[in-house]
Amino acid sequence: MKFTSRHTAAVIGVTLAAATLTGCTEEAGGGAAAAAGGACEPADVTLVGQVRNESNPYEAAWLDGGDAFAEQVGLTQERLTYDGDSTRQQEQISQLLAGDTECLVMNILPNGDSDTPPIVEGADEAGAYLVTQWNKPADLNVTDYDQWLSHITYDGVESGKQIGDALAEAIGGSGGIIALQGILDTGAAKDRFAGLEESLAANTDVELLDDQTANFSRAEALEVTKTLLTKHGDDVKGIWAANDDMALGALEALQQAGRDDVAVVGIDAVPDALTAIQDGTMTATVSSDGPWQGGIGLAIGYCVATGELAAEDIADDDRAWFAEQFLIEQDNVADFVSPEVSEDDFACDNLFSRSQGAIS
């Protein structure tokens, strides 16, 4: 990975499009069958990124990464948000799929596992190119669909354990902690909490005093943390949060309570969390590199749509896979303050370079 400023990423453009994304076919398309053959002119491709909301800095960074990729290939990305409302997400997808789908590329964050099947089935029927990230039912197989090109996620058990271990170390290996869980109908929330449980099994002197969901929300985490601090008082030595937005809500609650003796960990590496790690008020986070996620989903679809990559040439292990993630603490936080991927990460012959293996 290369780290550059966001400005640098934004100005990478025509050169990349010409150097790494050439060789696209110039045949006219005609429906799903033609789309599967990579018949789209580059200029005819429509790029769509959809996340819950832009108030979450990680998801905003995801859409920024999609914008950067779109600029690199001379296009623009349509940025969609659904405010964590599954019905609204499905309505937005339905509207997209009711239009011209021949060269439509979608990079989608399903709100929960149960939201993924109708998105996948709709895209497959309409002939749109689809990449999903994070959430899908375990028994829903990408290889059963033609237009669902890839599903990318992260080993949530690993990241949950990583920050659990970092929290245990920060509190000296013993003491009480509370846990803020994410949206419970998501693989990310389930896996991350399972990772915490693994960490607790390995750090037997650390006691989980309480856990409640705060739905990945900073505002909800603020209120939940206030309640748990009142309930458990000075027994709370650490707070494990399933994402940084909740960790930051917990930090605000601690500040309001006059507590500076509680270690806090999260996941996502959002800018405010990195600042908090730098100044010592937060202990650790894990980066899944939101800007890269926003670009890579669109890049996979774009490369297939334009014929630079044949869908049938995507290996089964790259249809559903774990991507690389990074533990960030005070000793390495400076390396992640302004992360941007190298333009080479979006090249059609390098799309799966961050794979850590297939989802079993």
Side-chain angles (χ1 to χ4, degrees):
M1 189 187 331
K2 171 177 142 183
F3 297 93
T4 65
S5 68
R6 178 160 294 174
H7 173 75
T8 301
V11 300
I12 298 169
V14 177
T15 301
L16 175 66
T20 65
L21 296 167
T22 55
C24 304
T25 65
E26 297 183 358
E27 299 175 16
C40 299
E41 294 275 3
D44 293 335
V45 175
T46 298
L47 302 176
V48 176
Q50 187 197 49
V51 299
R52 293 188 186 95
N53 60 72
E54 293 194 54
S55 62
N56 182 318
Y58 156 69
E59 293 178 14
W62 166 317
L63 292 179
D64 289 344
D67 286 345
F69 170 75
E71 184 172 348
Q72 289 165 10
V73 295
L75 298 172
T76 58
Q77 172 193 222
E78 183 177 356
R79 299 166 68 114
L80 295 180
T81 59
Y82 53 90
D83 295 324
D85 183 334
S86 294
T87 299
R88 184 176 180 185
Q89 175 172 48
Q90 298 297 336
E91 289 173 348
Q92 289 179 349
I93 297 289
S94 295
Q95 289 173 3
L96 286 171
L97 297 179
D100 183 359
T101 59
E102 182 177 330
C103 298
L104 173 63
V105 172
M106 301 189 299
N107 183 30
I108 304 297
L109 170 60
N111 194 38
D113 291 359
S114 60
D115 297 298
T116 306
I119 295 171
V120 169
E121 290 161 10
D124 214 55
E125 182 177 348
Y129 299 100
L130 174 67
V131 173
T132 56
Q133 300 197 43
W134 285 117
N135 303 317
K136 80 171 186 67
D139 59 355
L140 188 67
N141 298 314
V142 183
T143 52
D144 290 341
Y145 297 86
D146 294 328
Q147 299 298 126
W148 189 13
L149 302 177
S150 198
H151 177 77
I152 305 168
T153 192
Y154 295 79
D155 189 341
V157 176
E158 178 188 5
S159 57
K161 185 177 186 303
Q162 282 179 314
I163 61 169
D165 290 346
L167 185 61
E169 182 178 355
I171 65 173
S174 66
I177 68 169
I178 58 176
L180 304 176
Q181 293 210 55
I183 297 172
L184 297 181
D185 180 33
T186 63
K190 297 170 189 174
D191 289 347
R192 289 172 186 180
F193 190 72
L196 171 61
E197 291 176 319
E198 286 193 8
S199 176
L200 291 169
N203 296 281
T204 55
D205 290 331
V206 176
E207 178 187 1
L208 180 61
L209 301 171
D210 219 326
D211 71 274
Q212 290 189 27
T213 180
N215 292 306
F216 291 133
S217 164
R218 187 181 305 200
E220 288 188 45
L222 170 62
E223 297 306 318
V224 170
T225 304
K226 285 180 178 179
T227 299
L228 295 180
L229 287 175
T230 299
K231 179 179 179 181
H232 297 286
D234 291 340
D235 289 340
V236 178
K237 303 302 181 186
I239 299 176
W240 179 99
N243 80 339
D244 282 345
D245 240 24
M246 295 191 297
L248 292 165
L251 284 173
E252 186 175 349
L254 289 167
Q255 183 180 28
Q256 292 180 11
R259 297 284 301 273
D260 60 3
D261 59 335
V262 179
V264 179
V265 296
I267 293 172
D268 282 342
V270 304
D272 286 350
L274 297 177
T275 298
I277 292 172
Q278 282 183 305
D279 66 24
T281 56
M282 186 166 159
T283 298
T285 187
V286 170
S287 173
S288 56
D289 197 346
W292 176 83
Q293 287 183 268
I296 198 64
L298 297 180
I300 292 170
Y302 177 92
C303 290
V304 173
T306 56
E308 182 72 8
L309 173 68
E312 59 268 25
D313 289 341
I314 300 176
D316 285 354
D317 284 356
D318 292 330
R319 298 293 299 277
W321 48 289
F322 290 115
E324 187 176 10
Q325 56 192 352
F326 313 90
L327 177 67
I328 303 172
E329 299 176 283
Q330 196 164 42
D331 62 353
N332 67 341
V333 65
D335 295 334
F336 292 86
V337 171
S338 299
E340 286 291 351
V341 294
S342 164
E343 60 268 27
D344 293 337
D345 283 338
F346 297 150
C348 294
D349 60 356
N350 198 40
L351 297 171
F352 306 101
S353 61
R354 293 197 187 185
S355 175
Q356 302 297 293
I359 301 171
S360 58

